[in-house]
């Protein structure tokens, strides 16, 4: 029986559950001339998950494949995945392979952002820019951050250009929403009021409708069992909110005729008629006050003219000699 060889903790990656990936990562270490192999199982786990994310990013620009769900994912989801991986790798000890994988992730994602992002989803670029800025400003493991700084500068310039383009488009094409709403509402209100003023129930129509109700009520009360009934008008005919030719809503009740119950329509109608009467009275009062002021002004002028005439009659004629006193 062969003895089991103890593998040092620093080389725990040599016995991963996925032997195919173990061979793959060894090949990448050799290709990167990494003199320090992955130092822990965390390095191996990161490399394995990063490899899957990289494949998904590369398929975004790949040929159409109905089984490929990476193209259908929101771009922000890819940014979040890369963000999580970078923050995890940033805590691990530096190796050449680790730096290479992080660089591949950022390169691929930035390329996609430059090709896919527009003014409508600019937040994806802003989000990645914040991630890279945060990593550069907090680098306890002293990772090589030159590539991150380079991409941060490019992203900031890209974001600035996109915002300028968005502002230009808004200036050229955007009409203030308040102006549109205000104009439409004013026009609609004016049309409604004009139609109502032209077609509203006139005072004669209102009197005819009331007479019809009174005639019907008298006819109904002729029957003994209906003597205490009341026939009342309600709805738009009573509130005066109806238009010419509208129907009449009638309510037949058995309430005590002496009760003071009134319908809402009746109160609305009374309030409307009261308002119209007060407006009419106010207009009449204004006209009367104006006429009175004019009459008083004319009276003052007349008095002044009369006084002038009286004064002129009292003065002696300049050509007439005044007899001297002896």
């Amino acid at each position: 029986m062969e003895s089991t060889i103890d593998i040092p903790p620093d080389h725990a990656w040599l016995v991963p559950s996925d032997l195919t990936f173990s061979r793959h990562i060894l090949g990448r270490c050799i290709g990167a001339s990494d003199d320090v192999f992955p130092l822990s199982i965390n390095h191996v786990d990161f490399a394995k998950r990063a490899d899957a994310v990289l494949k998904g990013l590369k398929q975004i620009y790949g040929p159409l494949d109905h089984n490929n769900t990476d193209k259908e994912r929101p771009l922000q989801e890819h940014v979040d995945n890369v963000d999580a991986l970078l923050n995890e790798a940033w805590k691990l000890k530096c190796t050449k392979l680790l730096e290479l994988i992080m660089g591949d992730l950022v390169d691929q994602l930035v390329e996609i952002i430059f090709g896919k992002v527009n003014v409508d989803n600019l937040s994806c670029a802003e989000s990645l820019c914040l991630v890279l800025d945060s990593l550069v400003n907090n680098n306890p493991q002293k990772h090589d951050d030159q590539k991150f700084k380079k991409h941060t500068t490019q992203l900031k310039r890209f974001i600035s250009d996109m915002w300028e383009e968005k502002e230009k488009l808004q200036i050229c094409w955007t009409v203030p929403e308040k102006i549109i709403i205000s104009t439409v509402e004013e026009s609609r209100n004016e049309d409604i009021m004009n139609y109502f003023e032209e077609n509203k129930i006139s005072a004669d129509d209102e009197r005819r409708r009331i007479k019809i109700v009174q005639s019907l009520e008298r006819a109904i009360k002729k029957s003994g069992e209906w003597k205490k009934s009341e026939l009342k008008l309600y709805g738009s005919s009573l509130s005066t909110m109806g238009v010419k030719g509208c129907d009449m809503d009638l309510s037949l009740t058995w309430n005590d005729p002496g009760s003071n119950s009134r319908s809402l329509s009746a109160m609305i109608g009374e309030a409307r008629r009261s308002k119209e009467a007060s407006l009419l009275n106010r207009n009449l009062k204004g006209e009367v006050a104006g006429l009175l002021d004019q009459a008083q002004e004319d009276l003052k002028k007349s008095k002044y003219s009369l006084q002038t005439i009286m004064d002129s009659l009292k003065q002696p004629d300049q050509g007439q000699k005044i007899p001297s006193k002896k």
Side-chain angles (χ1 to χ4, degrees), residues 150-166:
K150 174 185 174 182
H151 284 311
T152 301
T153 302
Q154 293 174 341
L155 284 169
K156 288 180 178 179
R157 188 183 303 115
F158 173 76
I159 293 169
S160 176
D161 293 342
M162 293 297 287
W163 274 113
E164 288 181 6
E165 181 180 348
K166 185 175 183 179

Side-chain angles (χ1 to χ4, degrees), residues 53 73 76-86:
V53 172
R73 291 179 182 175
Q76 184 61 48
E77 185 175 335
H78 292 288
V79 175
D80 294 340
N81 290 338
V82 173
D83 177 14
L85 285 171
L86 292 178

Side-chain angles (χ1 to χ4, degrees), residues 35-54:
D35 52 351
V36 180
F37 286 92
L39 299 177
S40 68
I41 191 64
N42 292 331
H43 285 75
V44 178
D45 288 341
F46 164 76
K48 189 171 184 179
R49 285 185 285 111
D51 190 62
V53 172
L54 272 171

Side-chain angles (χ1 to χ4, degrees), residues 96-158:
K96 290 182 181 179
L97 180 60
L98 188 67
E99 306 291 348
L100 182 63
I101 295 174
M102 288 193 295
D104 289 344
L105 285 169
V106 176
D107 287 342
Q108 191 67 39
L109 184 56
V110 169
E111 181 182 352
I112 292 172
I113 285 178
F114 287 160
K116 293 285 188 180
V117 167
N118 52 40
V119 293
D120 296 323
N121 58 350
L122 192 57
S123 59
C124 296
E126 294 172 334
S127 177
L128 180 59
C129 190
L130 291 174
V131 170
L132 298 181
D133 256 340
S134 175
L135 294 176
V136 169
N137 294 327
N138 184 19
N139 189 7
Q141 297 293 341
K142 306 301 180 183
H143 289 282
D144 183 7
D145 57 6
Q146 292 303 313
K147 180 172 287 191
F148 285 14
K149 290 180 179 179
K150 174 185 174 182
H151 284 311
T152 301
T153 302
Q154 293 174 341
L155 284 169
K156 288 180 178 179
R157 188 183 303 115
F158 173 76

Side-chain angles (χ1 to χ4, degrees), residues 207-224:
R207 283 192 292 270
R208 281 195 294 268
R209 289 168 183 263
I210 293 175
K211 286 182 179 179
I212 292 173
V213 175
Q214 291 173 347
S215 299
L216 288 173
E217 186 179 38
R218 285 195 297 269
I220 292 173
K221 286 185 175 182
K222 288 181 180 180
S223 175

